[in-house]
Amino acid sequence: MAATRTATADERVAQTPLARKLMARPELGAVAGAILVFIFFGIVAGGSGLFSAPGIINFLEVSAQLGIIAVAASMLMIGGEFDLSIGSMIGAAGVIIAIPAAQWGWPLWLCVLLAFAIAWLVGYVNGLIVIRSGLPSFIVTLAGLFILRGLTIGFTRLLTGRTQVSGLKDLAAADWLAPVFAGEVGGTVMVWLAHIGVIGTRADGAPAISGIPMSIVWWFGLTAVATYVLLRTRVGNWIFACGGDPGAARNVGVPVAAVKTGLFMFTASAATLFACVQVLDAGSADTTRGLLKEFEAIIAAVIGGCLLTGGYGSAIGASFGALIFGTVQMGIFYTGVNTDWFKVFLGVTMLIAVLFNNYIRRKVTEAR
Amino acid sequence: MANGNGGPPLVELRNIVKRFGSVIALNGVTMKVHAGEVMCLLGDNGAGKSTLIKTLSGVHQPTSGEILIDGEPVTMYSPRDALDRGIATVYQDLAMIPLMSITRNFFMGREPGGRRAFGRFNVGSANRVAKDEMAKIGIDVRDPSQAVGTLSGGERQCVAIARAVYFGARVLILDEPTSALGVKQASVVLRYIAQARARNLGVIFITHNVHHAYPVGDAFTILNRGRTYGTFRKEEVSREGVLNMMAGGKELEELSAELEEFSRADAATGRTGVAEHAFAEGLHKEAESLHKH
């Protein structure tokens, strides 16, 4: 498009069609998909309670848990790498919190900090191996997936004789840090909303929902921060550059190794956050927690517009991908369809998303 | 026009030697680049051009010899070092990331936002700078947030060069900037090289192509087997002279003699086609006789 003309005419900017501008947004597909899903379930499950206040909180909570790891996975994918050890990290972090707290009497907040410290170590090691060896992160973290899961099961059985650790409910209730992950906010707002009749009330007069779960707050917060970092900071530009062409990035002074290692540490941290939310809310940890979550996170990121080759994508898109998941999962439940069909939906949606992304990439780089 | 300011050269190489183990890549290279001068570095494959570029851009350190910037001897340990001293290298293929916007490519590695990693990248003002800088070199970018992949090869090279100039380069090293481009695209880049010279930059222009080098070059340094063959000012040498030295004169003479031989042979048989036909006929007969046995 850039013609070597002398006459400048800024008004041509306005002539770029809106459709084309929208096409250049990576999250377009996921936003459109989410709208379609809402319309569909609005018609099919309108009267089933899916869109009542508790129903909304339900599917948002499911979306939020996936969203937390999907946002991190999308940033890593934009940076040109994968992390398949996310799911195993969720299981590991859960047990790391539960065993010292339930078995050895450590304060819960210390266990949470320990879990994050180990997550940073795992992320750092993942990054170190990928950078130093030059091997695809797909393979390196696939090894991580098995090693981490195996260590989790092995150590848990060794230390407790079982693969589940429970009895955290009371500890969480007494801890000062636990409510940050498993609490609720906005209780008074809910009372007020119930009072003016926006949301329903229970039989005893309490509002139908007692507050917004912290997982949803974390999800929105992470999405906002990740989007700001990607689009409006130096690091954001580095992440896109690392994924687009690490060689070119290095040549102009981008610290590629540091950026990628940092992103691996971020995905491991997000997995630990996921584990905190689950474990502190449920009061128990299970070594099989987070199974296959790495793939769901990657699917959400891909639906959100991330290219598998890196250098392109969006954190908001990944969040919308997670929202589609959560809505469909709960929608299928509310409409009474057998939940077995959810997996079919997952695969088909991902296939459509990849085809769509492929087409978009061609459009974006095509000469105008 | 070159060397008009009379000061010390922007960059001077004195007897640079670079060895990799037992391999001698550079064996005494001497060369000067002044402000407002385009120095064309010519040489065949394996002459040591890329080693010389990498030495100048801080990737390699010379085994012996001196690099002087503004007459001061310096040691550069990294590409960043060289950049800080105003030496910017534009690589032929590793210049741009197609999926990123023009602005994001323009500021890559030198984003606004200070030294802090999480400093704010002001996209609005960055877009304006990118658009203005591109306009200065005569490329009218409608929307600097569009992907670089939508630009042609020549325009991409120009973005890379404009970026180097904007971030304070005084010496531009251009590694084969025109070799992958068509005639029209190459002329866009060549015009920009002339502009960079007019803005008093020193340009080291590495190329195979005499037709690109001769119109914009002020001086020509020929590199051959790790040595400088000599530096010639434009007044001293003709286009054919440069071409001759580049290809190593002797080989060219042999080639032209060979070509003459061919044309004489063609003339003798009348047409080239006839000879080929006869050859094919012979093959056919041979194959048939083999079948019978």
Side-chain angles (χ1 to χ4, degrees):
Chain A
M1 61 122 296
T4 47
R5 262 177 271 154
T6 42
T8 52
D10 271 19
E11 66 275 10
R12 287 174 309 149
V13 173
Q15 288 171 12
T16 310
L18 182 68
R20 182 152 261 167
K21 284 220 144 170
L22 282 177
M23 287 283 262
R25 308 290 320 159
E27 56 270 2
L28 170 75
V31 175
I35 292 171
L36 279 180
V37 164
F38 277 119
I39 291 173
F40 176 77
F41 281 107
I43 295 166
V44 175
S48 67
L50 178 67
F51 292 106
S52 69
I56 290 172
I57 290 294
N58 257 342
F59 73 71
L60 281 185
E61 212 173 352
V62 173
S63 308
Q65 295 195 354
L66 178 60
I68 287 168
I69 52 173
V71 166
S74 75
M75 286 185 88
L76 182 64
M77 275 176 80
I78 295 170
E81 305 291 344
F82 289 101
D83 188 354
L84 298 185
S85 66
I86 295 177
S88 298
M89 188 65 226
I90 292 171
V95 169
I96 291 167
I97 295 168
I99 290 182
Q103 302 274 316
W104 308 334
W106 287 27
L108 209 49
W109 59 267
L110 189 63
C111 305
V112 170
L113 293 188
L114 175 71
F116 275 104
I118 290 177
W120 289 332
L121 184 70
V122 168
Y124 184 78
V125 169
N126 273 338
L128 195 71
I129 296 174
V130 168
I131 303 278
R132 285 287 167 85
S133 68
L135 288 170
S137 50
F138 190 89
I139 292 300
V140 172
T141 57
L142 186 61
L145 182 157
F146 288 104
I147 295 170
L148 216 51
R149 183 70 73 189
L151 285 175
T152 306
I153 297 173
F155 270 113
T156 309
R157 214 191 288 278
L158 199 70
L159 294 170
T160 69
R162 296 183 301 142
T163 56
Q164 283 176 317
V165 185
S166 53
L168 295 168
K169 201 85 187 166
D170 298 335
L171 291 173
D175 193 77
W176 61 270
L177 190 60
V180 173
F181 302 106
E184 286 181 342
V185 291
T188 48
V189 177
M190 293 304 154
V191 171
W192 176 69
L193 284 176
H195 182 72
I196 62 168
V198 175
I199 57 175
T201 52
R202 294 189 200 138
D204 60 355
I209 45 174
S210 51
I212 310 274
M214 280 307 290
S215 58
I216 298 176
V217 176
W218 276 105
W219 175 39
F220 284 178
L222 264 187
T223 306
V225 170
T227 302
Y228 177 79
V229 167
L230 274 177
L231 299 180
R232 290 290 182 273
T233 67
R234 305 183 72 205
V235 172
N237 213 41
W238 295 348
I239 292 172
F240 280 109
C242 288
D245 186 339
R250 211 172 279 121
N251 269 348
V252 295
V254 174
V256 175
V259 169
K260 289 195 171 186
T261 308
L263 288 173
F264 276 112
M265 291 168 77
F266 180 52
T267 52
S269 305
T272 306
L273 178 59
F274 182 107
C276 288
V277 167
Q278 272 203 339
V279 168
L280 298 179
D281 192 45
S284 66
D286 190 319
T287 50
T288 58
R289 280 269 163 80
L291 207 62
L292 290 179
K293 281 293 171 196
E294 58 282 322
F295 290 108
E296 287 182 19
I298 289 171
I299 295 173
V302 168
I303 291 173
C306 288
L307 291 180
L308 292 155
T309 43
Y312 192 77
S314 136
I316 288 196
S319 272
F320 272 95
L323 179 65
I324 291 176
F325 269 36
T327 312
V328 171
Q329 201 171 353
M330 294 317 287
I332 287 177
F333 175 76
Y334 271 86
T335 45
V337 179
N338 190 332
T339 45
D340 296 346
W341 298 104
F342 179 64
K343 291 236 162 29
V344 180
F345 167 82
L346 224 71
V348 172
T349 315
M350 164 140 177
L351 195 60
I352 293 170
V354 172
L355 290 171
F356 184 72
N357 286 354
N358 202 27
Y359 168 77
I360 289 287
R361 172 173 41 183
R362 265 210 321 275
K363 279 280 170 199
V364 166
T365 54
E366 166 176 281
R368 291 182 224 162
Chain B
M1 71 163 296
N3 202 3
N5 50 10
L10 273 179
V11 176
E12 183 175 359
L13 301 180
R14 281 192 194 155
N15 213 15
I16 294 287
V17 175
K18 177 67 190 174
R19 291 200 199 93
F20 297 102
S22 61
V23 178
I24 304 168
L26 297 176
N27 193 13
V29 171
T30 300
M31 158 178 147
K32 287 179 198 171
V33 185
H34 289 91
E37 178 182 71
V38 177
M39 162 68 74
C40 296
L41 187 62
L42 304 156
D44 214 348
N45 293 333
K49 288 186 311 241
S50 37
T51 310
L52 186 60
I53 300 164
K54 284 184 174 161
T55 308
L56 262 172
S57 60
V59 177
H60 298 320
Q61 284 71 49
T63 311
S64 70
E66 269 187 320
I67 301 175
L68 292 89
I69 294 178
D70 297 323
E72 301 272 327
V74 295
T75 316
M76 296 180 293
Y77 296 100
S78 71
R80 194 96 223 177
D81 254 4
L83 276 173
D84 290 342
R85 293 181 190 280
I87 300 179
T89 308
V90 175
Y91 295 94
Q92 180 189 345
D93 46 349
L94 286 177
M96 290 284 126
I97 297 179
L99 278 169
M100 285 169 75
S101 73
I102 296 170
T103 305
R104 284 185 176 277
N105 269 290
F106 193 91
F107 284 95
M108 186 165 64
R110 301 225 155 179
E111 294 83 0
R115 290 212 160 269
R116 290 166 305 131
F118 287 92
R120 180 154 181 267
F121 187 131
N122 187 335
V123 175
S125 72
N127 274 341
R128 269 194 301 281
V129 169
K131 190 175 159 69
D132 288 351
E133 290 302 308
M134 293 302 284
K136 272 186 203 165
I137 60 172
I139 293 181
D140 178 18
V141 177
R142 178 166 49 182
D143 176 12
S145 62
Q146 78 188 62
V148 156
T150 60
L151 297 180
S152 69
E155 287 165 344
R156 282 185 219 189
Q157 282 288 338
C158 285
V159 176
I161 300 171
R163 167 172 79 187
V165 172
Y166 178 76
F167 288 110
R170 297 186 302 144
V171 181
L172 273 179
I173 304 174
L174 307 175
D175 182 14
E176 308 255 3
T178 57
S179 66
L181 303 179
V183 179
K184 233 182 178 167
Q185 298 297 332
S187 70
V188 174
V189 176
L190 291 178
R191 189 178 305 132
Y192 192 31
I193 292 174
Q195 276 191 24
R197 169 176 56 196
R199 290 163 77 169
N200 218 29
L201 270 74
V203 180
I204 301 176
F205 177 19
I206 294 115
T207 182
H208 274 115
N209 193 330
V210 169
H211 303 295
H212 290 164
Y214 201 76
V216 294
D218 297 307
F220 306 89
T221 296
I222 320 288
L223 209 60
N224 196 1
R225 302 178 71 82
R227 283 177 163 281
T228 32
Y229 204 73
T231 297
F232 303 89
R233 308 222 51 91
K234 196 172 192 169
E235 310 81 81
E236 301 166 1
V237 66
S238 68
R239 190 184 294 243
E240 287 68 31
V242 175
L243 183 62
N244 239 0
M245 285 184 289
M246 241 180 93
K250 204 171 170 205
E251 282 90 337
L252 258 198
E253 272 166 37
E254 277 170 15
L255 179 64
S256 70
E258 241 174 272
L259 285 174
E260 263 171 48
E261 194 66 35
F262 279 138
S263 62
R264 253 204 302 283
D266 285 351
T269 51
R271 260 175 48 222
T272 331
V274 176
E276 280 168 359
H277 190 70
F279 181 66
E281 198 98 304
L283 267 182
H284 188 67
K285 274 182 187 155
E286 209 169 306
E288 263 180 16
S289 70
L290 273 174
H291 252 310
K292 279 175 192 160
H293 286 296

